[in-house]
Structure formats: structure tokens, C-alpha cells
Amino acid sequence: AGAEAPSPGSPARDGPLRQSTGLTAMIIGVPKEIKTNENRVALVPAGAEAFVTRGHTVYLEQGAGLGSGFSDEAYEATGARILPTADAVWAKADLIMKVKEPIAPEWPRMRKGQVIYTYFHFAASEELTRAVIASGAVAVAYETVQLPTGELPLLTPMSEVAGRMAVQEGAKYLEKLFGGSGVLLGGVPGVAPAEVAIIGGGVVGINAAKMAAGLGARVTILDISLDRLRYLDDVLPANITTLHSNRHNILDAIARADLVIGAVLLPGAKAPHLIKRGDLKVMKPGSVIVDVAVDQGGCVETIKPTTHENPTYFVDGILHYAVANMPGGVPRTSTLALTNATLTYGLRLARDGWQQACRDDRALMLGLNVVGGKVVYPGVAEAFGLPLVPVEQVL
């Protein structure tokens, strides 16, 4: 109590302390992402400076920002400190900021009471869920922070990137060289353009539709909400047809499609399988499926996560693209878009502590998924038949 806030670059003891300002200082840790070909980073130099100027201490693993074009020196210039190993960062930090969920080598580094602020997508992995439960850590999931309007502000920027990339990647894999049917998405004068079916009219779906329509494709977008379909019909160009999402319309759309994009999201829960394996037989040979919902289990029964190194596989003559961290392929854009959204909530967690920050902001409270060994988010408990503890109990 009464200690002065550390100046940029000055030593600070590990753990929260009370500043002369009456605010709590916290140690922020940013390890390098280790998922295959994941080059994003959870904090840019401007974000590190925002923490440091508020009296917090920021540690980054050496080289954490290089994949997104940010050097260690750029972080050090803001007063952040560089540590040589991930172990050192995890051991010091009260609040870990990441991009992707901790993978198996990182699980032993998680500890009781440590706040981990990242994309988790728990419903897609029981093993990850149980590892976080066992650790006693506090898991704040970007993807379930939700505003009263229903908007998911920390998922939206990556959904925008993924929706646009889905068309870019789908167009590439339609090329014969990559195993597709050899169809040019936009066609040419005298030759019909490709047909694109997009299942889901949310953020991913509308961004995919804009890109596909802009390239000249004939686009069908399906959604279960009539209000959403009315909105899409108003704002999207004339080469996009809106359809109510039901079994008959889905089968009809995928039968005509050269490219199918899965864009279904149930916040915090496993995506429903709207395309069954048997449905593939109605699709054109060499057509392409890009399932953006793969990180939530996928909306195609035959989907399984792939990597940027080995992104595709065939099932029954249909090419499947299922990279679970698609925005990692364009890390400079993705990192800037993501951190524009996550920094505000991160600063709040650091300033007030996770309990007070979540009490004060219901949107952030909805980001709590697992706390001290207890599952507090309904979609996660439902996915694996785990006991659900009301989030109010942990606050």
C-alpha cells in the first residue's frame, strides 16, 4: 500500500500491488503463440504502452510480435520488458493475454487464480476444458463477451477477417491445381460465374457474401432469422439471394454450389451439423467446402480441424478446407483488428481485477467460462455434461 507506480522499464515485484493512486497494478504476460503457423500476437506496442502508462508491468516472450511485424525493440521502447522463455512469462504474469487457446504444452503453465484472456472455444475441446478446470485458472473467453445488443465485440473483428478469407481461400482451392473443379469464381463474359452458398448470415456470412458478390459470383445466403434476412436483402447487392435456412433449402443450395461456406455460430456452444456426410453426394465433384465454424466443432459433419501447412482434404470427392485459425494467415491485419477490440477490456481487467470488472460490466461477465475449477458458462457445461455453477457465485 502506498507504493509508487513503477516507471517504464523499472523493476516491479511479481503480483498485484496497491498504487498511490488507489488503483491496482498488475503484471501482464504475453507469450508467443505456438499453435501451428499462428503469427498473431495479443498485444501491439501501442497496447503495451497503454498498460505501462497506467502503472502496470508488461512482460513479453522474446519474438512474440515478430510474426505480425512488431520487433522486441518496439515493445521495449514503450517500457515493456522482454523475457527469453514462455515459462518465464507465464510464471510472472497475473493476467495472460493470448490469441489462441492454450494448447497441451502450455497447460502445465496455467495456475490457480491466474487470469487467461484469449479465444478458448471450449465447446470444441473437452480435453482443453478439463485442463483449464484442473488448473484453477480464470478463463475469460473473447468469443463469449457479449453486448446487450447480442453483438460479440471481440469475435467480430476475426469473424470479419475469416469471412473475407473464406472466399479468398475458396476461390484458390477451386483451381484445378489445388484439387478443385477448375471454376473461376467470377466467370468471364460468355461463361457463367461460380455459385456460392453461405450458411449463416451473421458477421462471417455477410463479409463472405460481400467478397463473393464483389468478385462476380452468384451467391445464396441462408439464415434462420427472417429479420436478419430482411436486413441482408436490403444491404447486399443484387447478385445475392437470401433464403430461409431449412433442410430443403440447404440441400438445394449445396447441390448448385461450387463453393459452400459454413458460417454458423451459437455463442460458446458447439455448432450444429447442418450438412451431413450423406449430403455430400448431392454436391458437384470438385466443389469446395470452407467451414469457418470449425473452431466450434463445425457445421459440416465431415469437417475436422486442419492447419495452414496442410489445409485441405477430400471426403467423397468434395474438397474440405478447415483451418481453425484462418485469420492467422494474415497476421498483420488480424492482430491490429483484434487488439483494437480486446485492449479496452484488458485494461479494465488489469485496473479493477477480474471480479470487479465483471461485476461492473455484464458483457465482460459473459466472457467468464471457467473460474477456479468451476464451469460458469452454460454452453460449455452443456457440451460435455458438466455441472454448471451460476456465474454470480464466483463474483
Side-chain angles (χ1 to χ4, degrees):
E4 291 184 359
S7 60
S10 67
R13 72 176 181 87
D14 295 343
L17 69 160
R18 182 63 67 180
Q19 301 298 311
S20 58
T21 59
L23 300 178
T24 299
M26 191 173 282
I27 296 178
I28 317 301
V30 182
K32 186 176 181 180
E33 298 294 324
I34 59 173
K35 194 163 188 171
T36 304
N37 278 325
E38 181 52 77
N39 290 300
R40 288 174 289 179
V41 64
L43 195 66
V44 298
E49 185 172 31
F51 278 106
V52 170
T53 57
R54 287 162 173 79
H56 305 296
T57 302
V58 177
Y59 289 107
L60 289 97
E61 183 182 353
Q62 186 175 4
L66 290 178
S68 294
F70 300 109
S71 67
D72 291 344
E73 292 75 18
Y75 288 103
E76 288 178 316
T78 72
R81 304 130 188 242
I82 304 300
L83 294 176
T85 66
D87 284 335
V89 173
W90 281 86
K92 285 182 175 291
D94 308 306
L95 169 62
I96 288 285
M97 294 184 67
K98 280 179 49 60
V99 176
K100 291 301 291 179
E101 74 281 354
I103 62 176
E106 296 172 301
W107 296 345
R109 298 170 180 154
M110 302 184 294
R111 67 176 189 271
K112 184 176 181 179
Q114 187 175 53
V115 180
I116 305 173
Y117 177 49
T118 188
Y119 287 119
F120 277 102
H121 297 290
F122 281 116
S125 174
E126 184 172 359
E127 195 176 12
L128 168 66
T129 303
R130 294 192 180 277
V132 175
I133 290 170
S135 74
V138 176
V140 183
Y142 292 164
E143 71 275 8
T144 63
V145 173
Q146 188 169 15
L147 300 175
T149 59
E151 182 186 350
L152 303 168
L154 307 188
L155 191 61
T156 293
M158 293 303 92
S159 295
E160 291 167 339
V161 172
R164 294 175 184 222
M165 279 193 73
V167 175
Q168 184 171 298
E169 296 301 305
K172 178 172 74 177
Y173 286 101
L174 276 172
E175 295 178 26
K176 197 68 176 177
L177 176 65
F178 295 105
S181 58
V183 173
L184 180 65
L185 207 63
V188 293
V191 180
E195 295 269 356
V196 178
I198 301 169
I199 303 175
V203 178
V204 169
I206 193 172
N207 278 273
K210 287 176 182 177
M211 290 291 285
L215 289 170
R218 294 175 179 166
V219 181
T220 300
I221 186 166
L222 301 98
D223 199 273
I224 59 173
S225 167
L226 291 178
D227 286 341
R228 184 64 177 176
L229 291 174
R230 290 186 184 101
Y231 170 76
L232 294 172
D233 197 64
D234 282 343
V235 301
L236 292 174
N239 55 332
I240 297 177
T241 300
T242 57
L243 277 181
H244 186 255
S245 183
N246 57 46
R247 180 79 178 141
H248 173 82
N249 285 343
I250 289 173
L251 288 175
D252 181 65
I254 68 174
R256 291 183 284 105
D258 301 288
L259 170 62
V260 174
I261 296 173
V264 175
L265 175 69
L266 299 179
K270 190 174 175 64
H273 287 159
L274 300 180
I275 299 176
K276 312 293 185 184
R277 174 159 190 166
D279 300 339
L280 300 185
K281 68 179 182 293
V282 309
M283 297 180 66
K284 303 174 188 177
S287 56
V288 175
I289 293 173
V290 177
D291 194 349
V292 181
V294 65
D295 54 9
Q296 288 288 96
C299 62
V300 180
E301 186 177 17
T302 47
I303 214 70
K304 60 184 180 183
T306 61
T307 66
H308 288 288
E309 288 178 325
N310 189 22
T312 62
Y313 60 92
F314 280 92
V315 177
D316 297 341
I318 307 302
L319 192 151
H320 292 52
Y321 177 98
V323 175
N325 62 327
M326 287 176 63
V330 286
R332 181 75 176 193
T333 296
S334 297
T335 288
L336 290 167
L338 176 63
T339 56
N340 284 344
T342 57
L343 178 63
T344 298
Y345 291 100
L347 290 169
R348 204 169 298 162
L349 288 167
R351 183 191 67 191
D352 300 332
W354 69 269
Q355 285 176 301
Q356 188 61 49
C358 291
R359 281 194 290 262
D360 291 344
D361 187 340
R362 179 166 176 78
L364 188 56
M365 182 185 74
L366 291 172
L368 291 172
N369 279 219
V370 179
V371 176
K374 300 172 182 177
V375 176
V376 298
Y377 195 85
V380 178
E382 182 180 343
F384 307 118
L386 296 168
L388 175 66
V389 174
V391 68
E392 292 79 10
Q393 286 191 19
V394 300
L395 293 177

